[in-house]
Amino acid sequence: MTIGKTSKSWLGRTGAALALTAVATLFNPAGAQTLSVVMASKLTVLDPVLTASHQTRNHGYMIYDTLLATDLDNKIQPQMADKWTISPDGKTYTFTLREGLKFHDGAPVKSEDCIASIQRWAQQDKIGRQVMPLVTEMTPVDDKTFKVVLSKPVDLLTALARPSGLPSFIMPKRVAMTPATQAITDYTGSGPFKFVKAEFQPGVKVVYEKNKDYVPRKEAPSGVAGGKVVNVDRVEWVAMADSMTMVNALTSGEVDYVETVPFDLVPMVKASKGVTVRTLDKLGYQPMYRFNQLQPPFDNKLIRQAAMYAIGQDETLKAQVGDPAYFKTCAAVFGCNLPYSSNKHADMIVPSNIAKAKELLKQAKYDGAPVAILHATDIAMASALPVVMAQELRQAGFNVQLQAMDFMTMLSRRANRDVPAKGGWSIFVTTWHTSEISDPLRNYGISANGEKAWFGWPTVPAIESLRENFLFARTDKERKDIAEQLQDVMLDEGVAVTLGQIVTAAAYSNKLSGVLESPAPVFWNIKKSDAK
């Protein structure tokens, strides 16, 4: 298939694309400079508190702002906040908002908006749910200042600043008063772009226009922090399900930016003139797997360890990604080369050691109980991983059933706690953005409180105790020591097992400049040349 030939016909092949063109002609103001973007997946949920979906988070960064933010060096920076103070006992945080903050409807951003937004966010965010029971008071001092009082000192700044699936976006109080389990219908933010509701076509197209009243910070942009200067009039997210169509649209100039290029198409895009291929998200993703610890054979610790010795990161990542430029092996359950990174038990989970796995299976008197691996075939980031895992487990002597299904079916199946013969499972694989697993408080994979734990339901009281110690730790050294202990216990017990780290390739037209590296795709700072 040639790129040029396909690009000439791709619009004509799809009625949906024609419809998009007609809509663009109808709504796009004459002369408006527009960025046309293909995101990694479709945006269907617009409430950034209702889901941890990355597309919804990305939508949130377009239209909302955050009180604090994290820069590329992982340092906490003020964003909507001008400054903050922390009392000597660490229990009282006082935040002051910066000048010039306005919502899209022209109303000023007030302390009461921040308080209501934090309260709604904290009902759904994992770390927010741990912190809020410690909050004894959250009240305005005046329209620009509010304080948060805690019963015990905890690191509130990290909770509010870190990028994750659920950043703490600030909404008007009238919107933030919506129950956290009910979707909002008013999308008024104070961020650098405005959502154009009239042009929204769920799963097809999302349009944002520049918020001309937005006052950027004076600092240079870094990560999701700093000055958010918008240089284009509109940004349009256009869905393209077919990868080749997407690549052809980019190389022919029909679109300006592709969030994620499939690994097998990266060489083709790199060879195209007028296109830049870069890894903009240096944090990337962590693939990981969990065992069902309620059912045989993985209710046996030795058998879990046998599986961990059998499964090798290098083999699985090569099959999934191919080019080693886009993956790395490492044992760190809290992210490779990050503050809580550890190499503990690397010998068990990084290389494949079939001989050791066989030895442990013999010691555990494995009786051939079936191992059902849930294989979500429609997740490009992880679809090849279960296939290689199954091969390695079979080499070690496991009786493996690789069960193919779509992602939504996998989500339903993993809730079944029964044996495989009754619809249950033994292993499932998933991926997290590294910002979502980078500390013990926000990492879902380490929950180990039995029936109340995340899927897999391990019971390891030491882990829950260490997580609580981490919450109340006062120094970085204390936190690092606790994280090291957690990795030791987690991998010894087989609670959650990392498969290394994957980064992706974005691609954009050379007409663009100022494209930023960030843990989430951002569209401020970008300039678009009109040169042909």
Side-chain angles (χ1 to χ4, degrees):
M1 181 179 292
T2 63
I3 295 175
K5 182 177 179 181
T6 307
S7 68
K8 290 177 182 175
S9 58
W10 74 275
L11 277 173
R13 289 202 310 267
T14 63
L18 284 171
L20 287 175
T21 303
V23 170
T25 302
L26 178 64
F27 287 99
N28 199 1
Q33 194 173 49
T34 301
L35 278 183
S36 182
V37 173
V38 181
M39 300 296 280
S41 57
K42 300 173 183 177
L43 176 68
T44 54
V45 179
L46 298 175
D47 187 339
V49 169
L50 208 59
T51 173
S53 156
H54 292 164
Q55 281 307 98
T56 303
R57 174 205 61 185
N58 300 341
H59 161 75
Y61 276 118
M62 296 293 281
I63 67 171
Y64 300 108
D65 215 343
T66 53
L67 191 64
L68 310 172
T70 305
D71 65 19
L72 275 183
D73 295 324
N74 211 31
K75 294 180 179 176
I76 294 171
Q77 303 291 351
Q79 192 59 34
M80 298 176 76
D82 178 49
K83 59 184 179 181
W84 64 83
T85 61
I86 306 173
S87 64
D89 65 2
K91 295 181 181 178
T92 301
Y93 289 71
T94 304
F95 297 95
T96 301
L97 301 176
R98 66 185 172 95
E99 296 292 330
L101 298 178
K102 287 183 181 178
F103 286 112
H104 297 161
D105 59 6
V109 178
K110 297 182 178 179
S111 297
E112 63 181 16
D113 301 307
C114 299
I115 291 171
S117 296
I118 293 170
Q119 288 173 330
R120 185 170 190 262
W121 160 82
Q123 293 177 56
Q124 298 286 42
D125 181 73
K126 186 175 177 61
I127 192 169
R129 288 201 297 263
Q130 295 169 80
V131 169
M132 282 308 285
L134 305 172
V135 175
T136 60
E137 179 185 348
M138 187 155 48
T139 52
V141 176
D142 55 37
D143 281 350
K144 290 187 175 298
T145 307
F146 67 99
K147 65 179 180 180
V148 182
V149 182
L150 301 154
S151 59
K152 294 183 178 180
V154 296
D155 184 5
L156 184 60
L157 300 183
T158 297
L160 295 176
R162 286 280 173 83
S164 68
L166 285 174
S168 180
F169 294 119
I170 303 301
M171 305 173 175
K173 180 181 177 180
R174 68 172 189 279
V175 180
M177 293 300 289
T178 306
T181 54
Q182 178 182 321
I184 61 172
T185 56
D186 179 345
Y187 309 109
T188 304
S190 66
F193 292 93
K194 295 180 178 179
F195 173 62
V196 184
K197 189 175 181 180
E199 297 186 56
F200 179 50
Q201 300 173 64
V204 178
K205 184 179 181 182
V206 195
V207 177
Y208 304 93
E209 61 182 19
K210 177 179 180 178
N211 175 13
K212 296 178 181 177
D213 294 327
Y214 184 77
V215 180
R217 296 192 67 87
K218 295 179 181 177
E219 300 89 344
S222 176
V224 290
K228 300 178 179 179
V229 177
V230 175
N231 298 305
V232 296
D233 300 302
R234 289 162 60 94
V235 177
E236 298 181 357
W237 293 0
V238 182
M240 290 186 185
D242 180 73
S243 296
M244 274 308 302
T245 300
M246 175 184 71
V247 167
N248 289 330
L250 174 68
T251 56
S252 66
E254 298 288 348
V255 301
D256 302 302
Y257 179 109
V258 170
E259 182 189 0
T260 303
V261 180
F263 292 116
D264 59 333
L265 297 181
V266 168
M268 175 189 293
V269 178
K270 280 185 173 178
S272 303
K273 292 182 179 178
V275 175
T276 295
V277 178
R278 278 175 67 195
T279 294
L280 299 173
D281 174 10
K282 302 294 187 184
L283 284 177
Y285 295 81
Q286 182 195 75
M288 56 87 78
Y289 62 93
R290 293 261 284 192
F291 300 106
N292 182 349
Q293 298 202 18
L294 297 182
Q295 302 294 345
F298 294 127
D299 57 349
N300 183 313
K301 177 177 171 178
L302 277 182
I303 295 179
R304 293 196 296 273
Q305 291 184 342
M308 292 158 68
Y309 273 108
I311 296 168
Q313 290 186 4
D314 198 50
E315 294 80 359
T316 53
L317 292 172
K318 280 180 180 173
Q320 178 63 51
V321 179
D323 187 343
Y326 296 105
F327 72 82
K328 69 173 66 172
T329 62
C330 86
V333 296
F334 301 118
C336 310
N337 303 319
L338 290 179
Y340 304 120
S341 178
S342 167
N343 205 37
K344 195 78 177 179
H345 294 302
D347 63 316
M348 189 191 299
I349 67 168
V350 175
S352 174
N353 186 340
I354 299 298
K356 180 68 174 180
K358 287 181 175 178
E359 176 188 326
L360 290 175
L361 283 183
K362 184 177 181 181
Q363 187 179 341
K365 299 180 181 177
Y366 172 60
D367 62 359
V371 171
I373 301 179
L374 304 185
H375 179 201
T377 57
D378 55 343
I379 300 299
M381 186 74 72
S383 60
L385 300 174
V387 178
V388 180
M389 292 167 64
Q391 292 172 344
E392 291 174 322
L393 291 172
R394 287 181 181 125
Q395 289 174 26
F398 282 96
N399 173 18
V400 179
Q401 301 171 356
L402 187 61
Q403 300 183 2
M405 61 196 69
D406 61 38
F407 180 66
M408 297 307 294
T409 302
M410 192 274 280
L411 293 183
S412 176
R413 278 286 302 278
R414 74 178 182 181
N416 188 327
R417 304 183 184 210
D418 218 326
V419 295
K422 294 182 178 179
W425 56 276
S426 308
I427 294 176
F428 80 90
V429 181
T430 191
T431 58
W432 295 99
H433 190 267
T434 301
S435 64
E436 297 168 313
I437 54 89
S438 60
D439 69 54
L441 299 181
R442 68 186 68 232
N443 190 322
Y444 279 85
I446 69 169
S447 67
N449 50 344
E451 296 288 330
K452 295 180 180 179
W454 197 53
F455 308 100
W457 311 285
T459 301
V460 188
I463 287 180
E464 294 304 309
S465 176
L466 286 167
R467 290 179 69 198
E468 184 171 312
N469 293 346
F470 186 93
L471 176 64
F472 296 122
R474 299 299 305 274
T475 67
D476 285 342
K477 183 179 185 309
E478 284 181 74
R479 296 186 187 99
K480 288 179 181 178
D481 289 345
I482 295 168
E484 177 84 7
Q485 294 173 56
L486 270 166
Q487 168 140 345
D488 184 10
V489 180
M490 283 176 60
L491 293 182
D492 182 63
E493 294 287 345
V495 170
V497 189
T498 175
L499 286 166
Q501 184 174 347
I502 296 173
V503 295
T504 58
Y508 55 87
S509 165
N510 288 346
K511 292 182 179 180
L512 305 188
S513 60
V515 178
L516 295 169
E517 294 182 0
S518 173
V522 297
F523 297 99
W524 51 82
N525 201 58
I526 295 178
K527 294 182 179 178
K528 181 178 178 180
S529 166
D530 291 326
K532 300 293 184 182

